[in-house]
Amino acid sequence: MALTGLQIFKLLPNTNCKKCGYPTCLAFAMKLAAGKEALDKCADATAEARAALGAASAPPISRVVIGSGPRAITVGEETVFFRHEKTFVRRPGLFRALDPRGLSAADLAARLDEWAQVRHERAGEVFQIDGVALTESNGVDVCASAAAAATQRGLPVALLAATPEGASAAAAPIKQHRPLLVPPSGAAMAPYVGVAAPLGVPLVVSAADLDALAGVAADAVKTGVTDVLLEAPGTNLRDAHRSLSLIRRGALDRIHPGLGHPVFLRVGPGELEKAVLGITKFTSVITISDAGSEAWLPLWTLRQNIYTDPQKPLQMEPAVYPVGEPDARSPLLVTTNFSLTYFIVSTELDAAGVPSHLAVVDTEGMSVLTAWSAGKFSGERVAKALREMGATERVTHKTVIIPGYAAVISGELEDALGDGWRVLTGPQEASDIAFFFRDVWASAVCAS
Amino acid sequence: MALNLKPKTWPGGVREVVLGAGSRKPITVGGGKGLPLHTFEATFPWRPVLALEVTDINPRTWVGAVRAPWEGVLGQPAAAAQRAVTDFGADLVMLHLVGTHPDRGDRTAEEAVADVRGVLDVVSCPLIVKGPGAGAKQNDILSRVAEAASGEGLTLHSACQEDYKTLAAVAVAYGQVLVAESPIDINIAKQLNILLSEASVDIGRVLIDPLTGALGYGLEYTYSVMERMRLAALGGEPMLSCPVVCLVGEEVWKTKEAKTPAAKEPAWGPEAERGINWEVATALPLLLAGADVLVLRHPQALKRVRRQIDAWFNGAGG
């Protein structure tokens, strides 16, 4: 269990020496309790204090790194059951499954090259295939060369093993790149522990139920496997959901050391729903058999949503964003930098088929109504922002459209812009933008 | 060392609300006594139900992928409702009177009443009726519909904090269920329910619509507000214990990702599958966050979500 500020305070020297940068030991203790400072900053902390704090501050779920270099992924270290309690921190790694059997070296290389280069940009994040999950087949040695080829391209590797010998042959040459060793579901774990421990690679353990799972995980750690993941028991969504929920709850409540590890889930072809469950509910590494973007895009996007820090409003970079290919006669609209607002407005603009300039003003991520109430979307602030980002230079018609909910700022904004600028009040809801262009914009601009 | 996995118990739970009455075959929703879909540790007397959306006019904004299964009945609400129930297996139907909006056809209350009657005549399931959006026209339309279908237990969508009095009175007078809509805000959701109960609405006849953000468009906000509402309900908060309805289809099929054809974004994959996946990947997290009623648009999405719900409650499939 985490210690409270007062419990930590009792472990500190209580000299108020200020060397840590805080006026009192109590203030520093409060920051430690909130996880915002490290004990290293206390020059006089005793060994006893360090030990007590270290044990208490050890995350309830261990940290595991898979892969090496810039594309290595880190999972685990989660601290909450509900994202609104704090945030989920380590987004799950989505690994694409590949069976290298029957692929020529050239085909394999081409495929890995393609996968390593997949990139989709969305709302400030680049979506990539996080790793490759390679099927190892008994008596076939292509897995080792495929693993080496994936590693060369910087891709983290998971080895879906058939046998301990095959797993060892594929993992040993790339052990410094930390491949994730995945035994067959429900296989006897001891032989795989015997492979993973000496190589120092992370290992997925599985069992028929949670009792047995916690047991094999604890045994694996005792036998020398430093990094363990748990395969969630259950084939249908109900059973997988039960496992995922109870593992997370048990880990946070620290009911058994064997539950304090990140969770692994296999998703077969056409099982998008299972991947959706995994991303929503606590999974850290998912192997996905489906190939197309029609499956990957929703999964990446879901991960982006679920792993967004709920305490921080989603914000867009303040700037003038083009919708379509606008020119100097195209409409200029202004809105707030709350991502959701931006997305909805730009989607509707796009759908309306009117190329336009969308100026996004820094409102610290607040929506229109909230920003206006908080004084972040006043006429003066909007005018200043429009000038600073050069929005006023983009169009010759000197007309700016403001959101309907901010109608009251129109006079103030006209005054602040001066120079013959006019303010048009747009609709309250983005869904009415098309009607606005049809009914209001055309006549407003023709009249000028 | 055996694990000590005690089921988590709670003092409160979600209310039960009966949708449909009179000539309708009623459906009960809500009643869950634990975290959403935690069927392994709490009782859930009723499984989540799935509605399909039909419209009074040909919905011009629907893209090809979601129009296809409705070809031939778009803008014919009775025929579409029949297809929704008989062919697509919807538990209930949402009739969206989009054409009554002054900018989208400006259909009259008489026409709206005729549409509702037409649907009631061909299906026996409960009916959700969604007006054209907040404002005087919405109140007029929904009042006339509620009066004409008095005693049918219609679910009227929706009352909001700024404008609830008319629909509150109408729901009470004609025995209808009322949807209380709040803008992804737990405090407003609670406040609106307090206002409704002060206006003599039985809170056991209310559904909460927390406002759905589609996947990629605020889903996480809806998701967390719903989780917090469920925790409040389980903790015993009476004003947040109503079942939750999410309008998934209309939000999903507005998104760029569901609408853009593969010809324009070849790297995004075929648009029909992408749109359906988008709807499924919005619907499932909302079920996990506590939705009791989902309103979908694509029958294929309904079929896939249904299979998962069945697995949850029967232990089969999946």
Side-chain angles (χ1 to χ4, degrees):
Chain A
M1 285 292 146
L3 298 178
T4 66
L6 278 177
Q7 286 169 323
I8 295 171
F9 173 63
K10 286 178 188 155
L11 294 167
L12 295 178
N14 197 15
T15 49
N16 297 337
C17 70
K18 304 186 178 55
K19 283 183 229 162
C20 60
Y22 292 89
T24 62
C25 290
L26 182 60
F28 182 56
M30 292 301 171
K31 289 288 172 187
L32 284 172
K36 296 206 157 72
E37 279 298 350
L39 187 63
D40 305 346
K41 286 204 179 166
C42 178
D44 306 318
T46 61
E48 181 201 359
R50 282 180 206 285
L53 264 176
S57 62
I61 298 168
S62 63
R63 171 178 191 270
V64 175
V65 177
I66 301 160
S68 66
R71 294 186 76 153
I73 64 160
T74 304
V75 295
E77 293 187 311
E78 300 294 338
T79 57
V80 292
F81 192 87
F82 298 102
R83 59 187 289 283
H84 66 256
E85 291 175 280
K86 194 167 187 186
T87 179
F88 294 165
V89 288
R90 300 288 188 190
R91 3 172 275 174
L94 305 181
F95 282 53
R96 187 153 157 189
L98 175 65
D99 188 343
R101 266 178 306 179
L103 279 183
S104 71
D107 284 349
L108 180 74
R111 195 164 305 190
L112 291 173
D113 281 339
E114 187 197 327
W115 292 9
Q117 284 159 21
V118 167
R119 280 173 67 90
H120 292 273
E121 228 177 302
R122 189 178 197 288
E125 184 183 332
V126 177
F127 299 154
Q128 291 181 295
I129 292 174
D130 298 312
V132 186
L134 295 165
T135 308
E136 181 259 317
S137 318
N138 194 6
V140 185
D141 61 1
V142 291
C143 184
S145 51
T151 301
Q152 272 166 21
R153 288 161 178 80
L155 287 166
V157 169
L159 297 166
L160 306 175
T163 60
E165 297 73 29
S168 177
I174 57 164
K175 64 177 182 182
Q176 73 276 22
H177 299 293
R178 306 187 55 77
L180 175 65
L181 181 52
V182 189
S185 283
M189 287 297 125
Y192 290 95
V193 169
V195 173
L199 291 177
V201 300
L203 174 72
V204 171
V205 297
S206 62
D209 60 42
L210 292 177
D211 261 331
L213 185 66
V216 294
D219 288 347
V221 170
K222 270 182 218 145
T223 319
V225 179
T226 329
D227 300 306
V228 169
L229 276 80
L230 310 172
E231 179 161 6
T235 48
N236 68 25
L237 262 64
R238 181 189 63 168
D239 296 342
H241 175 243
R242 174 182 185 274
S243 299
L244 293 166
S245 302
L246 290 176
I247 290 171
R248 172 60 64 92
R249 186 191 286 165
L252 296 179
D253 292 346
R254 299 180 195 257
I255 63 168
H256 189 295
L259 294 182
H261 301 285
V263 174
F264 171 87
L265 197 65
R266 286 175 218 253
V267 172
E271 291 188 334
L272 180 96
E273 290 82 345
K274 194 172 178 191
V276 167
L277 171 74
I279 291 170
T280 312
K281 291 287 177 185
F282 318 131
T283 309
S284 288
V285 175
I286 307 180
T287 59
I288 298 169
S289 303
D290 277 338
S293 294
E294 68 276 14
W296 279 78
L297 268 183
L299 296 176
W300 277 316
T301 307
L302 179 62
R303 180 180 69 179
Q304 181 177 45
N305 282 177
I306 295 292
Y307 281 76
T308 294
D309 183 352
Q311 298 158 112
K312 207 166 62 183
L314 264 171
Q315 301 188 13
M316 291 295 295
E317 197 61 39
V320 186
Y321 292 88
V323 180
E325 287 166 18
D327 58 27
R329 285 162 304 164
S330 305
L332 167 67
L333 301 95
V334 61
T335 192
T336 72
N337 77 325
F338 179 40
S339 297
L340 192 47
T341 304
Y342 166 79
F343 272 126
I344 292 169
V345 173
S346 63
T347 304
E348 293 292 344
L349 280 174
D350 194 44
V354 180
S356 36
H357 307 274
L358 180 56
V360 169
V361 172
D362 185 5
T363 56
E364 294 162 27
M366 293 180 194
S367 65
V368 172
L369 210 48
T370 322
W372 171 74
S373 316
K376 311 275 183 213
F377 203 73
S378 65
E380 271 187 24
R381 281 183 68 123
V382 172
K384 187 160 171 272
L386 288 175
R387 293 233 180 268
E388 281 175 5
M389 64 179 67
T392 47
E393 316 292 313
R394 302 282 178 104
V395 294
T396 50
H397 49 67
K398 292 198 173 182
T399 305
V400 61
I401 302 164
I402 60 170
Y405 281 117
V408 296
I409 71 163
S410 76
E412 191 195 340
L413 178 57
E414 261 179 20
D415 291 346
L417 283 169
D419 193 24
W421 274 79
R422 288 188 314 158
V423 174
L424 269 186
T425 301
Q428 291 190 345
E429 300 300 335
S431 51
D432 292 323
I433 282 176
F435 300 113
F436 172 83
F437 280 137
R438 190 194 64 195
D439 300 340
V440 184
W441 171 254
S443 55
V445 172
C446 292
S448 66
Chain B
M1 170 167 145
L3 295 180
N4 179 16
L5 297 168
K6 276 185 305 226
K8 201 151 188 147
T9 58
W10 305 84
V14 180
R15 264 172 225 277
E16 293 188 350
V17 172
V18 180
L19 310 179
S23 69
R24 304 296 91 199
K25 207 168 146 233
I27 292 178
T28 308
V29 295
K33 296 278 183 273
L35 291 172
L37 300 177
H38 278 226
T39 47
F40 54 87
E41 61 177 358
T43 56
F44 292 81
W46 311 104
R47 58 181 72 183
V49 296
L50 305 177
L52 283 171
E53 176 181 354
V54 304
T55 55
D56 57 346
I57 55 165
N58 188 346
R60 301 271 168 219
T61 55
W62 290 26
V63 291
V66 70
R67 295 176 72 86
W70 301 99
E71 216 42 77
V73 295
L74 287 162
Q76 300 169 43
Q82 191 159 35
R83 191 179 288 184
V85 174
T86 312
D87 297 349
F88 300 150
D91 298 308
L92 68 170
V93 169
M94 182 176 92
L95 171 56
H96 188 177
L97 296 168
V98 59
T100 59
H101 191 285
D103 286 334
R104 295 174 173 88
D106 206 16
R107 286 163 65 84
T108 64
E110 287 72 31
E111 289 171 296
V113 166
D115 288 336
V116 170
R117 285 233 164 87
V119 173
L120 290 174
D121 283 345
V122 298
V123 294
S124 60
C125 65
L127 186 60
I128 303 169
V129 182
K130 183 177 188 318
K137 186 77 190 274
Q138 158 135 316
N139 285 340
D140 180 43
I141 297 287
L142 290 182
S143 301
R144 298 281 296 280
V145 163
E147 183 185 1
S150 177
E152 292 287 334
L154 300 182
T155 302
L156 304 176
H157 191 290
S158 64
C160 61
Q161 193 186 19
E162 294 76 27
D163 187 3
Y164 66 91
K165 287 184 179 152
T166 305
L167 292 182
V170 162
V172 173
Y174 303 115
Q176 319 292 17
V177 173
L178 188 56
V179 176
E181 186 177 342
S182 43
I184 319 193
D185 187 318
I186 191 168
N187 298 314
I188 294 176
K190 182 175 165 183
Q191 177 63 17
L192 177 54
N193 277 356
I194 292 171
L195 292 170
L196 289 175
S197 58
E198 283 169 357
S200 303
V201 175
D202 173 2
I203 290 296
R205 301 283 286 160
V206 170
L207 302 181
I208 292 175
D209 181 343
L211 197 70
T212 299
L215 175 62
Y217 296 83
L219 174 67
E220 71 275 31
Y221 292 88
T222 305
Y223 180 86
S224 282
V225 154
M226 284 170 59
E227 286 200 325
R228 291 170 60 203
M229 283 180 184
R230 174 62 70 101
L231 286 170
L234 294 176
E237 168 55 60
M239 289 301 148
L240 287 170
S241 61
C242 304
V244 170
V245 55
C246 291
L247 272 48
V248 172
E250 71 170 53
E251 293 304 323
V252 163
W253 290 96
K254 251 193 237 175
T255 66
K256 202 154 45 180
E257 287 82 353
K259 278 165 59 168
T260 307
K264 215 173 149 194
E265 288 284 358
W268 286 9
E271 67 264 20
E273 289 80 357
R274 185 180 352 116
I276 294 166
N277 282 344
W278 215 265
E279 197 166 7
V280 170
T282 302
L284 272 179
L286 293 173
L287 282 179
L288 289 162
D292 297 283
V293 183
L294 294 179
V295 184
L296 305 168
R297 265 189 193 167
H298 203 293
Q300 205 57 37
L302 179 134
K303 192 174 163 190
R304 285 171 54 185
V305 175
R306 168 85 70 210
R307 194 161 64 213
Q308 299 309 331
I309 293 175
D310 287 348
W312 238 291
F313 287 83
N314 304 342

